[in-house]
Amino acid sequence: MYRFLVPVMALFCLGLQAQRPENSNNQNITLTGTVLDKDTGTPLEYATVVLQNANDPSIITGGMTDLDGKFAIEAPGGRYNIRVEYISYETYSIENQNLESNRDLGEIRIAINATELEAVEVVGEKTTVEVRLDKKIYNIGKDITTSGGTVSDALNNVPSVAVDVEGNISLRGNDNVRILINGRPSALAGFGSTDALQQLPADAIEKVEVITSPSARYDAEGTAGILNIILKREKTLGFNGSINSFLGYPTTSGITSNVNLRSDKVNIFNTTGISYRNSPGNGYFDNTYTSGSFDRIFEDREIDRTNRGFNTNIGLEYFIDENSSITGSFFWRHSKDEDVTENETERFVVNDIQSLTFRQQNQTEKDNSYQASLNYRNKFDDEGQLLTADVQYSIDQEDQEAVIEEQLTFPNEDLLALENVLQVEDQTEWLIQADYVRPSEDAQFEAGFRSKLEETVTDYQLDSLDQATGDFVVNKALTNIFTYNENVHAVYSQYGNKYEKFSYLAGLRLEYTQLKGQVDSEFDLSDLEEFLGEDVDFNFNKEYLGLFPTVNLIYEFTDTQSVTLGYSRRINRPRGRFINPFPSRSSRTNVFQGNPDLDPAFSNTYDLGYLKRWEELTLTTSVYYQRETGSFQRVQEATGITTPDGIEIIRTIPINLSTNQRYGAEAGILYNPTRWLRINSSFNFFRFVTEGEFNGVDYGAENTSWFGRFSSKVTLPGKVDWQTNMFYSGPSNNAQTEFKGIFSMNLAFSKDIMDGNGTLLLNVQDFFNSRKRRSFTETDFFTSDSEFQWRVRSVRLSFLYRFNESKKRNGRGGGGDDFSDDGEFGS
């Protein structure tokens, strides 16, 4: 029942202002007073005061209390029944009051309705799903397994989403997913990288929108769809917030604060976090070769990562009037990583160990991200006509230094290589956009534009020790400055309408894309041509003009049962790392290399969904099909080049395949049978069929796989919450590699203390220490059997303290007009 009260109350209050009782003398009076909590004396903001004409009950007027619980209601003089109502509180009423002059009712103290409050608490903790024409919105609720964790941890609990052992995010098994923050590309999410999401606190998230059939208003980037992360911004008047501190093993500690100060004219919000994380990992690689100096090389790898991070996001929203606001915000993230990777290698000829080596890489990385944004919103009327305009400027500066030393340990201790790697990467982005929404009765028209200008400059230098002279020598083939520009300009329009139980939303987006690359080097690039071939153009300027239609349909059988159908055309633009032709140097023998000839991929996606709600159960299902042309795939091949000690160098390179077809089905269940038990489960099955070749090798493959998750939350005696999250990703494969299944389980326990203002949480990530990627790769020239674990099992203890938030947690808080309507049709 409670879930319907807030919108009903809002509509009711609008109605109050529209109806005025009439009297014979037309004299207006003012009714004043203060509404307080009976037990604590706390002012109750946004309590509703109702004046109902005693002679004609259909005539109603009234108002709401302010931040201090005070009200002042002007009404024509007459005889009234007076009621004061507040969510989860008992109603105060006095009947048949003759109001012919101003009256002050003084302090009105009302008590909590214990029966209603108990029901409110249950609903407030539920994980809910909302279905819109073009998205599903997951309000995660109290997911205690992610307290003290990162945004990546939280995303891994969202249905349809999977986060692999290296933090890469996929949607329905497709890793070409677009990450947005509050509906926009953002430095908070990183530029084409998920590293930033592994540093931002999960406590900053309010909800996650899973957009598998994006409408025309969204950027067409991302063939899998879009994940839109909505950050918290409190809407209740007054000063409130929370502080979450945590401590764990392997050594992890940090503190995050979310605070908000809101008055009638200004809303100030801030999220600040500081953290120290140690994330040890490990792996092994067992490679066999058909040619070269060695028949087999076994590598045992240990990784120790240390990250020190700080981030803050501060903003101010100014309410110009009742219908418009302007918001300015600034974000800064600073991190410093210190990673030590040690490789012990056994090198065999036939079955005999020919030599042993030890390789150590010490790498430091400093990263600073800045983002400033300005947003204007104007609601022209109460019908929903809305104009928004945004300007955003982002900078990301990343400095990497690495010292790589490799030497023999058997049969002698000769130095094999000593290298210094210096890389400076600067990324800048301008984003300008405007959106207009005009509803009319059951219809809605939208239009807008967006321009994004992004530039990445990578300055890379590799110095190698010349053992003959004892001097470091610049590697002329790999030292360079690579500049990559991605400029996208778009306009769109869409129209939706509703006919009884049927709704539709159709749109068209036009996007112009320019991809430019330029290499500046004072050295000869002929050595690099051995890797890519002489026909590759390091300096390029590619332009694309594309139309991206979208159609979304929904039919509501009842208020609790609906079916949706969506179609969208999408684009996958290659990121800078996939374009940069200069090989990485994480290993002397295995390199990753971008491909300047890589073109964007295009997809057509169809999605059919079904939703059914019962009193205690919500079921969501869908089937989908996607055909992608020019899809990206990373392949491994021999370079024909060997190291000085005779090992053939193998490169991984992204290529365009001709087609990639994806078929899939998914189902999700949210079940809340009692107050003490909540269950959330989802299952996703998919099949990929790829076709294409590169350098004369056929990379066509078929892959069938699935993943599922199960989450339960049980309230134990003593009001201790116990949550279990389990995830399993089934085996999969591509043309060269087979991946084994991965299982992981997270546990968490929480207990409210300090009269509900504080919460203690204990959680264990990867309880069985089983989150490891196991794979086997086979080509004509080598095989590789490997296992890799990005992060070992961790234990974390958190303490969350809330101030001035207890009423909100119990469903007793109020909120005013927060200008949060995004103009979405069919919501």
Side-chain angles (χ1 to χ4, degrees):
M1 182 67 183
Y2 168 69
R3 71 184 71 181
F4 302 109
L5 285 178
V6 173
V8 170
M9 289 285 286
L11 293 173
F12 180 65
C13 291
L14 289 175
L16 292 178
Q17 304 301 319
Q19 301 184 59
R20 298 277 185 182
E22 298 180 358
N23 65 356
S24 58
N25 55 24
N26 291 321
Q27 294 293 319
N28 286 344
I29 59 91
T30 300
L31 182 70
T32 58
T34 305
V35 181
L36 305 175
D37 183 293
K38 181 178 181 180
D39 298 323
T40 66
T42 304
L44 299 180
E45 64 271 24
Y46 291 107
T48 303
V49 183
V50 180
L51 278 70
Q52 185 177 42
N53 190 282
N55 299 321
D56 185 355
S58 66
I59 300 177
I60 300 174
T61 188
M64 302 184 79
T65 59
D66 62 14
L67 177 63
D68 299 317
K70 298 181 181 298
F71 63 89
I73 300 171
E74 184 177 327
R79 190 169 294 275
Y80 291 91
N81 299 323
I82 303 172
R83 296 195 311 275
V84 178
E85 300 173 341
Y86 196 64
I87 296 174
S88 77
Y89 277 71
E90 295 177 349
T91 299
Y92 168 88
S93 63
I94 49 177
E95 305 293 327
N96 202 27
Q97 299 295 306
N98 188 21
L99 303 180
E100 297 294 343
S101 60
N102 296 341
R103 182 184 297 187
D104 184 4
L105 296 179
E107 292 185 355
I108 300 174
R109 293 179 175 262
I110 56 179
I112 296 174
N113 186 325
T115 303
E116 184 180 349
L117 175 60
E118 189 170 284
V120 168
E121 290 177 335
V122 174
V123 174
E125 293 184 6
K126 286 185 179 180
T127 298
T128 60
V129 58
E130 304 169 35
V131 175
R132 307 284 179 89
L133 269 169
D134 58 351
K135 71 181 70 172
K136 292 186 180 73
I137 304 174
Y138 292 95
N139 302 295
I140 306 303
K142 291 184 177 180
D143 189 347
I144 60 178
T145 64
T146 62
S147 179
T150 66
V151 170
S152 289
D153 296 327
L155 289 178
N156 202 37
N157 290 340
V158 175
S160 304
V161 180
V163 182
D164 70 14
V165 295
E166 293 179 321
N168 300 310
I169 299 168
S170 63
L171 180 59
R172 293 174 167 175
N174 186 351
D175 59 7
N176 181 227
V177 55
R178 182 68 157 164
I179 307 294
L180 302 179
I181 303 291
N182 294 334
R184 306 172 188 86
S186 174
L188 280 72
F191 293 110
S193 169
T194 58
D195 293 345
L197 299 180
Q198 299 179 54
Q199 299 170 15
L200 294 175
D203 303 299
I205 297 179
E206 179 176 340
K207 57 188 176 183
V208 176
E209 297 178 344
V210 178
I211 310 172
T212 53
S213 183
S215 66
R217 76 156 42 174
Y218 293 102
D219 184 359
E221 173 72 29
T223 56
I226 296 171
L227 291 179
N228 185 24
I229 301 169
I230 306 298
L231 301 182
K232 291 178 180 177
R233 185 190 300 182
E234 182 54 50
K235 306 170 183 65
T236 305
L237 289 174
F239 180 66
N240 49 70
S242 63
I243 298 175
N244 189 10
S245 58
F246 58 91
L247 184 68
Y249 178 84
T251 307
T252 300
S253 61
I255 185 169
T256 299
S257 66
N258 286 290
V259 295
N260 201 95
L261 175 63
R262 177 163 179 169
S263 66
D264 290 329
K265 298 294 290 184
V266 175
N267 184 31
I268 302 173
F269 52 92
N270 173 250
T271 298
T272 298
I274 185 170
S275 63
Y276 176 93
R277 302 180 190 274
N278 179 247
S279 301
N282 59 82
Y284 70 79
F285 302 84
D286 191 354
N287 300 337
T288 63
Y289 301 86
T290 58
S291 62
S293 302
F294 304 99
D295 299 316
R296 179 188 174 204
I297 297 178
F298 182 85
E299 176 184 327
D300 188 15
R301 181 181 299 181
E302 296 289 338
I303 309 169
D304 187 75
R305 304 181 195 86
T306 301
N307 171 266
R308 299 172 179 86
F310 172 81
N311 63 84
T312 186
N313 181 34
I314 186 168
L316 184 148
E317 182 174 12
Y318 175 72
F319 302 100
I320 301 171
D321 53 37
E322 293 182 353
N323 296 316
S324 61
S325 71
I326 187 168
T327 304
S329 62
F330 176 77
F331 169 78
W332 174 41
R333 176 175 62 87
H334 170 76
S335 67
K336 181 179 180 181
D337 293 341
E338 296 178 355
D339 300 342
V340 178
T341 305
E342 296 180 344
N343 294 353
E344 294 183 348
T345 302
E346 300 175 350
R347 308 195 293 190
F348 295 82
V349 176
V350 190
N351 294 321
D352 298 327
I353 294 180
Q354 193 272 343
S355 59
L356 303 177
T357 68
F358 178 77
R359 180 181 184 272
Q360 179 169 294
Q361 175 176 315
N362 294 284
Q363 177 176 302
T364 61
E365 178 180 322
K366 296 179 181 178
D367 195 354
N368 283 286
S369 297
Y370 309 89
Q371 179 175 290
S373 60
L374 192 65
N375 167 261
Y376 171 75
R377 302 175 68 86
N378 188 358
K379 286 185 176 180
F380 295 98
D381 50 43
D382 294 334
E383 302 300 321
Q385 187 177 188
L386 175 68
L387 173 67
T388 63
D390 301 89
V391 178
Q392 181 174 286
Y393 180 63
S394 305
I395 301 174
D396 187 73
Q397 301 170 333
E398 185 178 284
D399 296 345
Q400 292 183 6
E401 296 183 12
V403 178
I404 305 172
E405 181 177 0
E406 187 169 356
Q407 66 180 50
L408 286 166
T409 58
F410 172 82
N412 54 55
E413 297 184 356
D414 291 345
L415 180 67
L416 294 176
L418 181 59
E419 299 176 338
N420 292 329
V421 179
L422 303 174
Q423 177 173 302
V424 178
E425 187 171 84
D426 292 326
Q427 296 176 303
T428 58
E429 181 186 277
W430 277 100
L431 178 69
I432 303 172
Q433 73 176 67
D435 300 277
Y436 173 72
V437 180
R438 184 180 179 85
S440 58
E441 295 183 358
D442 291 330
Q444 183 163 293
F445 169 79
E446 297 182 47
F449 76 89
R450 171 185 286 183
S451 290
K452 186 192 71 170
L453 307 175
E454 182 179 328
E455 180 177 82
T456 303
V457 180
T458 305
D459 189 343
Y460 184 91
Q461 179 174 328
L462 174 65
D463 298 337
S464 302
L465 178 67
D466 185 337
Q467 297 190 50
T469 64
D471 297 326
F472 280 91
V473 179
V474 176
N475 187 312
K476 298 180 180 180
L478 301 184
T479 297
N480 68 95
I481 300 176
F482 181 66
T483 303
Y484 180 61
N485 294 88
E486 179 182 294
N487 302 323
V488 181
H489 306 282
V491 294
Y492 80 92
S493 179
Q494 61 185 21
Y495 177 79
N497 208 333
K498 184 173 183 179
Y499 299 97
E500 296 182 350
K501 297 182 178 183
F502 174 74
S503 303
Y504 71 87
L505 179 64
L508 185 64
R509 188 178 186 91
L510 174 67
E511 289 195 349
Y512 165 79
T513 301
Q514 181 186 39
L515 307 178
K516 294 172 58 178
Q518 178 179 329
V519 174
D520 296 308
S521 178
E522 56 184 300
F523 306 114
D524 186 6
L525 298 178
S526 59
D527 290 342
L528 186 61
E529 293 176 353
E530 296 185 48
F531 282 82
L532 285 178
E534 298 180 358
D535 296 333
V536 173
D537 187 3
F538 301 137
N539 302 304
F540 57 88
N541 186 353
K542 301 179 180 180
E543 298 178 342
Y544 307 88
L545 186 65
L547 281 173
F548 301 92
T550 63
V551 178
N552 287 284
L553 313 173
I554 185 170
Y555 184 81
E556 299 174 278
F557 298 100
T558 66
D559 292 340
T560 60
Q561 184 178 200
S562 63
V563 63
T564 59
L565 177 64
Y567 162 77
S568 63
R569 185 172 188 258
R570 310 285 295 165
I571 185 174
N572 181 10
R573 302 180 184 93
R575 306 300 300 175
R577 181 171 180 260
F578 273 31
I579 289 289
N580 192 336
F582 293 91
S584 67
R585 294 293 288 181
S586 58
S587 169
R588 291 192 306 132
T589 57
N590 293 276
V591 299
F592 178 88
Q593 184 174 14
N595 181 3
D597 281 343
L598 205 61
D599 292 319
F602 295 88
S603 71
N604 291 278
T605 303
Y606 305 84
D607 188 293
L608 177 64
Y610 173 76
L611 168 72
K612 173 64 176 175
R613 287 191 179 97
W614 292 269
E615 183 176 350
E616 299 170 345
L617 177 70
T618 299
L619 170 68
T620 59
T621 63
S622 66
V623 292
Y624 52 90
Y625 169 75
Q626 179 185 90
R627 178 180 173 85
E628 184 176 353
T629 57
S631 59
F632 302 160
Q633 180 165 313
R634 287 183 281 191
V635 300
Q636 292 179 304
E637 62 177 15
T639 62
I641 303 172
T642 61
T643 64
D645 47 340
I647 303 176
E648 185 167 15
I649 298 175
I650 298 170
R651 70 165 177 176
T652 300
I653 184 172
I655 62 171
N656 288 113
L657 287 181
S658 57
T659 61
N660 184 355
Q661 297 185 78
R662 305 168 186 264
Y663 313 80
E666 64 180 351
I669 293 176
L670 303 171
Y671 184 46
N672 299 91
T674 67
R675 281 197 61 202
W676 55 268
L677 176 63
R678 287 171 287 280
I679 295 174
N680 181 354
S681 181
S682 63
F683 178 82
N684 197 304
F685 172 85
F686 50 87
R687 175 176 172 80
F688 296 173
V689 179
T690 60
E691 299 175 358
E693 65 175 38
F694 180 70
N695 287 343
V697 178
D698 184 4
Y699 290 103
E702 297 184 7
N703 170 36
T704 300
S705 188
W706 60 276
F707 66 85
R709 56 168 45 86
F710 175 85
S711 176
S712 66
K713 189 176 180 183
V714 180
T715 301
L716 302 174
K719 295 185 177 179
V720 175
D721 284 336
W722 168 23
Q723 184 170 330
T724 303
N725 288 355
M726 292 183 286
F727 178 82
Y728 180 79
S729 177
S732 62
N733 66 275
N734 58 32
Q736 294 181 317
T737 303
E738 295 180 358
F739 301 93
K740 296 183 179 180
I742 300 176
F743 172 79
S744 64
M745 184 174 78
N746 301 333
L747 298 178
F749 300 88
S750 74
K751 168 68 176 175
D752 285 346
I753 58 176
M754 304 170 65
D755 295 327
N757 291 318
T759 303
L760 282 174
L761 304 103
L762 174 68
N763 65 61
V764 181
Q765 298 286 314
D766 194 10
F767 181 81
F768 293 108
N769 202 36
S770 57
R771 193 172 171 80
K772 302 175 182 180
R773 184 187 64 202
R774 299 177 178 89
S775 63
F776 179 77
T777 301
E778 184 174 12
T779 71
D780 293 337
F781 55 92
F782 89 108
T783 66
S784 178
D785 187 6
S786 67
E787 177 182 286
F788 182 71
Q789 184 176 24
W790 180 261
R791 184 174 60 185
V792 301
R793 175 178 49 230
S794 62
V795 182
R796 190 166 57 236
L797 179 66
S798 305
F799 172 64
L800 177 65
Y801 178 74
R802 311 169 191 85
F803 48 93
N804 297 335
E805 280 197 335
S806 59
K807 289 184 296 182
K808 183 187 72 175
R809 292 183 64 245
N810 291 332
R812 311 194 315 255
D817 184 358
D818 61 331
F819 299 92
S820 60
D821 182 8
D822 56 8
E824 293 191 32
F825 177 74
S827 60

